[in-house]
Amino acid sequence: MLLLIGYSAILLWHARLGFKRSGTIGGYLVGGRHMGGVIIGVSFFATFASTNSYLGLAGKGYSFGAPWLLFPLMMVAATYLSWRLVAPELRRFTAMTDTVTVPEFLAARFASQSVRVLTGLIIALASLLYLIAIFKGAGNLFQVFLGIPYEAAVGLMFVVVLVYTSVGGFVSVVRTDVIQGVLMLLGSVVLFGFVTTHIGGPGRIFDLMTMPEKEYLFTWNAGAPILVVLGIALAGSMKLLIDPRQISRFYGLRDAASVSRGIGFAIGGLLIIQFCLFPLGLYAHFLIDDIADTDLIVPMLIQDPAIFPLLIADFLVVAILAAAMSSMDSVLLVAGSVTTRDVVGVVVPMSEARQTFYTRIGVIACAAFAALFALNPFGDIVEITILSGSLYAVCFLPAIMVGLHWARGNAIAVIASYGGGIATILLWRNLGLSATLHEVLPALAISMGLYLLVAWTTPRVSTTEVIEFFLTKNTTSDNEAQRNSTQPV
């Protein structure tokens, strides 16, 4: 309790600092675009690695076996691509057009307010799903370690994260992400080290291969068909490329040179955390027999005094709580901002001061809805998270990734890709085909195909901003990087 109180006090202090720099909507949502690459790089991996990593993804290796380790490899690759292909161009375009949300950016890129509203609605839905998963993980954590009812645990998380996110905005979120990122790095290393030592070293994993009842874990179709595992990994990894809570970090970068400074921290942090966590599910076969809910594996391991001394277990609870909050605050900020600014704000125009006020209200409303649905979640952490990731992948991979690097494309192409991708996901799941081929694979193929086809056969957007962006695409970033290469981090 003392650790939790001290940690909460630090969060509130950063909320106070963030509040001073959040008087305008630009300050509240992107920190005035004055962030250095290192702090954004740490925030990037801290935002992604939530309770979904510590509890959901880490435990899933128990049932999915060795093929599950493909997931962190795909995460690292997606992080590299995100910082190389998305960060420089997105930072430049949003600075040129003074846009501060993903729907606003897409509206400027494709000259369509309809795209803006539709994008805002999709982000709000996908964010709600992701928040439900985080609330479930945090609720399980508090229920096991503090001995309080699940409902009370969800309510506790709701109050703490709501205060510093709604008050401090982007500055508060990024500053606290640095603290949370350090805690998460230490926590993942401690988890891996103590569990590995307890079972007799990393070499014990090969003993599973010699056990007749466990050798299936090292086949391609261990706990699920490999195409299902790859689909889950793809849906989860693509979020690093196009999830608004991830790429919104790039809005705050000071300059192009900051991209080069931040990429190493983003990849390094993610690499350490995920490759410390993902083997835990396999290791659990030496420690736990036949568990149905793999979300409970890591809490059960931490609670075992034979593995973790009391003070170490307490530290890990705070580290996992930090993981939950580092993602939850970012998702809330994105969900609240797009709901207020890009859905309601398009219909009912409002001043900048009112936008900032109502965005804070939007953050509160989104948190309340997610907490309410989390009281009776419809699936486990991984299932809910991957559904959210699938929506992001099929909707935004064509619009953001292709839209930043290919001059063709318009609102019709974007809307067609949205509709085709979402319809395929729903149809595939309802027909029960996801058991053999994950729905994100056919949905992404259809979404991308529709975007490319429509973009190629219809007129491109010819606004001044878009023309200027693509005319200067090959020179501006390089020149700016050279000018700012000597600036401090």
Side-chain angles (χ1 to χ4, degrees):
M1 289 303 300
L2 287 174
L3 285 172
L4 288 174
I5 291 171
Y7 176 67
S8 298
I10 293 173
L11 297 183
L12 294 177
W13 181 66
H14 280 286
R16 177 177 172 272
L17 294 177
F19 183 75
K20 295 179 179 180
R21 294 178 57 181
S22 302
T24 65
I25 193 67
Y28 186 70
L29 295 181
V30 297
R33 306 186 198 272
H34 296 309
M35 297 287 185
V38 174
I39 191 173
I40 294 295
V42 175
S43 177
F44 189 89
F45 78 73
T47 297
F48 183 80
S50 66
T51 50
N52 302 326
S53 295
Y54 276 83
L55 305 183
L57 301 181
K60 209 67 174 179
Y62 186 90
S63 56
F64 280 1
W68 191 235
L69 296 176
L70 293 171
F71 198 162
L73 290 174
M74 294 176 68
M75 288 183 195
V76 172
T79 300
Y80 176 81
L81 293 174
S82 182
W83 279 77
R84 286 303 183 203
L85 299 182
V86 178
E89 303 304 332
L90 184 66
R91 188 206 64 81
R92 190 167 65 87
F93 189 93
T94 55
M96 285 174 54
T97 55
D98 195 27
T99 51
V100 295
T101 66
V102 170
E104 196 176 13
F105 148 65
L106 290 176
R109 167 63 183 88
F110 297 103
S112 170
Q113 291 300 303
S114 297
V115 167
R116 183 177 182 178
V117 174
L118 274 175
T119 302
L121 291 172
I122 292 168
I123 291 174
L125 174 60
S127 297
L128 179 64
L129 292 172
Y130 196 80
L131 285 168
I132 292 171
I134 301 175
F135 270 121
K136 182 180 187 297
N140 288 340
L141 187 71
F142 281 146
Q143 184 180 25
V144 170
F145 290 104
L146 299 184
I148 61 178
Y150 174 81
E151 293 78 9
V154 170
L156 179 62
M157 276 294 296
F158 167 74
V159 171
V160 174
V161 78
L162 186 64
V163 171
Y164 81 87
T165 304
S166 62
V167 171
F170 186 84
V171 173
S172 174
V173 167
V174 171
R175 288 175 67 96
T176 54
D177 275 351
V178 174
I179 298 170
Q180 292 159 342
V182 172
L183 286 174
M184 291 156 59
L185 281 170
L186 292 174
S188 62
V189 172
V190 168
L191 264 171
F192 179 81
F194 274 82
V195 173
T196 303
T197 301
H198 184 74
I199 66 171
R204 284 298 309 279
I205 199 169
F206 297 106
D207 293 344
L208 291 174
M209 301 174 67
T210 64
M211 300 178 185
E213 71 279 12
K214 303 291 185 183
E215 60 182 0
Y216 76 94
L217 294 169
F218 297 87
T219 62
W220 283 113
N221 299 303
I226 187 61
L227 290 178
V228 172
V229 174
L230 286 175
I232 293 173
L234 179 65
S237 300
M238 287 299 99
K239 296 176 74 172
L240 289 156
L241 278 166
I242 39 76
D243 186 338
R245 73 187 170 103
Q246 295 296 144
I247 64 174
S248 64
R249 294 292 172 273
F250 302 145
Y251 285 52
L253 286 169
R254 180 190 303 124
D255 48 47
S258 299
V259 175
S260 298
R261 297 188 185 107
I263 186 171
F265 285 86
I267 292 177
L270 194 75
L271 189 68
I272 293 171
I273 290 173
Q274 302 302 336
F275 277 97
C276 283
L277 296 179
F278 269 69
L280 297 180
L282 284 171
Y283 288 167
H285 282 277
F286 294 109
L287 305 167
I288 300 174
D289 293 325
D290 298 327
I291 182 170
D293 187 356
T294 58
D295 292 346
L296 297 175
I297 286 177
V298 171
M300 290 173 64
L301 294 178
I302 296 176
Q303 198 179 29
D304 188 346
I307 304 175
F308 294 99
L310 181 60
L311 289 178
I312 298 297
D314 287 345
F315 165 74
L316 289 174
V317 172
V318 176
I320 297 175
L321 175 64
M325 290 187 173
S326 66
S327 291
M328 190 178 292
D329 54 18
S330 302
V331 179
L332 278 174
L333 191 61
V334 167
S337 64
V338 300
T339 302
T340 302
R341 184 177 174 88
D342 301 306
V343 178
V344 177
V346 171
V347 179
V348 184
M350 57 186 78
S351 66
E352 184 174 288
R354 289 174 62 85
Q355 283 184 30
T356 305
F357 173 77
Y358 283 112
T359 295
R360 287 189 166 100
I361 300 300
V363 168
I364 296 172
C366 291
F369 274 111
L372 182 64
F373 283 111
L375 297 177
N376 186 26
F378 61 86
D380 63 23
I381 292 174
V382 173
E383 180 183 0
I384 300 172
T385 302
I386 296 305
L387 177 56
S388 170
S390 297
L391 288 173
Y392 281 136
V394 302
C395 290
F396 300 147
L397 194 66
I400 295 176
M401 282 290 292
V402 181
L404 284 171
H405 294 277
W406 190 35
R408 300 199 68 90
N410 52 36
I412 300 173
V414 173
I415 294 171
S417 69
Y418 284 0
I422 293 173
T424 304
I425 286 177
L426 296 176
L427 182 62
W428 206 265
R429 290 173 67 90
N430 288 334
L431 292 177
L433 300 176
S434 298
T436 54
L437 178 67
H438 194 272
E439 62 267 16
V440 75
L441 297 173
L444 187 57
I446 289 175
S447 174
M448 185 65 78
L450 284 172
Y451 180 89
L452 295 175
L453 176 63
V454 176
W456 186 258
T457 56
T458 54
R460 68 184 69 186
V461 173
S462 57
T463 61
T464 302
E465 293 89 350
V466 173
I467 293 173
E468 181 184 355
F469 174 75
F470 283 102
L471 282 176
T472 60
K473 178 176 170 55
N474 296 325
T475 58
T476 302
S477 295
D478 291 340
N479 292 339
E480 187 176 0
Q482 291 175 6
R483 289 196 304 269
N484 295 289
S485 60
T486 59
Q487 288 189 6
V489 175

